[in-house]
Amino acid sequence: MRDSSNPHLSKATAAGRSDDVRMGWDRGNDQWWNWYMSLAESPSPPAEFVELPRWDPGPLPSDAQVCAELASPYPLSEDAVTVFAFEGYVKLPHVLSPGVAARLRDRLRELLARAVSQDVGFQSLELMWLEDPLVRQAVLSPRIGQICAQLLSVPRVRLYHDNALSKQPGAGRTPWHYDDHHFPLATTAVVTAWAPLQPTPREMGPLAFARGMDAWRLVADVPFDKHGTSFDRRVSEVFRDAGVAVDDGPFALGEVSFHHSLSVHTAGANRTTTARVALANTYFADGAHVVDEPTMVSGDWQCFMPGVRPGQLATSSRNPIVG
Ligand SMILES: O=C(O)CCC(=O)C(=O)O
């Protein structure tokens, strides 16, 4: 018998056993993130935050220059495709120039400031591309779409959704997970481009990956815990005991990681005085269907695919081909 329910859950989503996620999510996606972050074991905020040196992105590009850069092809090497297939993720340098990263960071911060209360430690916002022309260039970027299709070895990808993720100073860890649990897509040909928009040292909580495309198999049977942190804790223990290497290295400005939906990942707490802003966009192989029974872990997925029902082809006006 459980004696405490997660405060972010409704009566309906809290019902049943801790690993029962069969019900749909019945709140907004911002509330989804508040719930999800509460499932991570986190250290207490540090007594002293790290003050990072200021970075200089150089002259800021115009909108037209941002558009041209994001439309130009990226020279993806065969090695990068092999690393992605073997490790489940790859970090690619210079996907964004410093100026483009800086312009996107400013814009995401403006949009977040308008939409999200400043008290929230992990700020998130989706569907920005429908409203904001600059963000649209990044979310529908042919450069990013081309990289995703090449990494997945598929002819075309569609957008699942965009996501601004700002981990404020002092905000805690992101729990261990792999995205196949989250996305209501009946395919694993799904990739997320996670673009941090400032130099992101370890102290800022960059995305961190369990190395190896098959690492998920070690934790596939760990019972999910919708009320607390036992899933996150158990995944850490399993990886430690199995000697799984974790890449929690820094991201240089303009470096973008691409992770497969089976790549197990987490992110550290932000122990700096600067917000860790990232643009995380997810793309899937054209032709995928929605699963028959989406769970509460998929959040309010219908707003990313309006009119598409479980079991149907995953296409809507919000899932354009990208690249
Ligand atoms: O930014 C984070 O801390 C988590 C992001 C994440 O898990 C993802 O984009 O798949």
Side-chain angles (χ1 to χ4, degrees):
M1 182 71 180
R2 213 180 48 242
D3 55 7
S4 66
S5 175
N6 187 298
H8 301 285
L9 296 180
S10 67
K11 205 166 164 204
T13 48
R17 289 168 30 154
S18 258
D19 60 352
D20 185 356
V21 292
R22 288 169 301 173
M23 53 294 275
W25 183 251
D26 52 7
R27 293 181 168 166
N29 284 318
D30 50 342
Q31 290 157 305
W32 184 92
W33 270 110
N34 293 340
W35 164 62
Y36 202 64
M37 293 298 288
S38 76
L39 306 185
E41 296 224 294
S42 265
S44 339
E48 272 194 42
F49 287 84
V50 178
E51 180 97 41
L52 298 173
R54 285 189 66 77
W55 70 93
D56 177 9
L60 293 183
S62 65
D63 286 9
Q65 286 167 327
V66 172
C67 178
E69 176 176 312
L70 292 168
S72 66
Y74 180 86
L76 190 68
S77 67
E78 281 294 322
D79 273 3
V81 180
T82 307
V83 168
F84 179 79
F86 189 74
E87 301 285 11
Y89 74 97
V90 65
K91 288 167 75 166
L92 300 177
H94 311 301
V95 176
L96 305 177
S97 64
V100 166
R103 290 255 3 240
L104 289 171
R105 187 175 200 275
D106 289 348
R107 186 60 56 91
L108 259 52
R109 278 174 68 80
E110 273 167 42
L111 296 171
L112 284 162
R114 261 186 251 150
V116 183
S117 153
Q118 290 311 292
D119 306 338
V120 176
F122 190 79
Q123 304 184 349
S124 71
L125 190 63
E126 292 98 2
L127 297 175
M128 298 165 292
W129 69 279
L130 294 175
E131 311 292 334
D132 187 277
L134 191 74
V135 178
R136 182 156 50 244
Q137 302 300 336
V139 175
L140 305 188
S141 154
R143 164 175 286 225
I144 306 274
Q146 164 237 324
I147 296 172
C148 292
Q150 282 180 262
L151 291 175
L152 292 175
S153 302
V154 299
R156 281 175 305 278
V157 292
R158 288 185 181 273
L159 175 67
Y160 176 50
H161 70 66
D162 60 345
N163 220 342
L165 299 171
S166 181
K167 197 173 264 197
Q168 302 299 103
R173 284 184 52 251
T174 306
W176 278 112
H177 64 283
Y178 54 103
D179 298 340
D180 193 48
H181 272 162
H182 292 201
F183 303 140
L185 295 164
T187 177
T188 54
V190 184
V191 59
T192 298
W194 192 84
L197 300 175
Q198 62 286 304
T200 306
R202 276 204 176 82
E203 299 84 349
M204 208 184 231
L207 211 58
F209 307 91
R211 291 186 59 181
M213 182 61 113
D214 282 340
W216 68 275
R217 293 184 195 278
L218 295 170
V219 296
D221 292 335
V222 175
F224 190 69
D225 179 4
K226 65 185 179 183
H227 293 292
T229 58
S230 69
F231 177 83
D232 180 50
R233 183 167 55 249
R234 188 70 198 127
V235 173
S236 297
E237 288 166 358
V238 170
F239 284 163
R240 188 198 55 215
D241 295 349
V244 173
V246 175
D247 176 356
D248 63 354
F251 282 64
L253 187 59
E255 188 172 22
V256 176
S257 64
F258 293 80
H259 63 266
H260 189 273
S261 61
L262 292 174
S263 161
V264 193
H265 54 283
T266 177
N270 184 356
R271 296 181 282 113
T272 74
T273 52
T274 307
R276 189 220 66 182
V277 182
L279 177 61
N281 301 324
T282 297
Y283 306 89
F284 61 94
D286 181 30
H289 285 70
V290 173
V291 294
D292 292 335
E293 293 177 357
T295 71
M296 63 187 270
V297 191
S298 291
D300 182 10
W301 62 273
Q302 278 106 336
C303 71
F304 306 131
M305 297 187 188
V308 179
R309 290 197 297 282
Q312 290 186 338
L313 195 63
T315 53
S316 77
S317 57
R318 294 188 181 174
N319 313 112
I321 299 274
V322 178

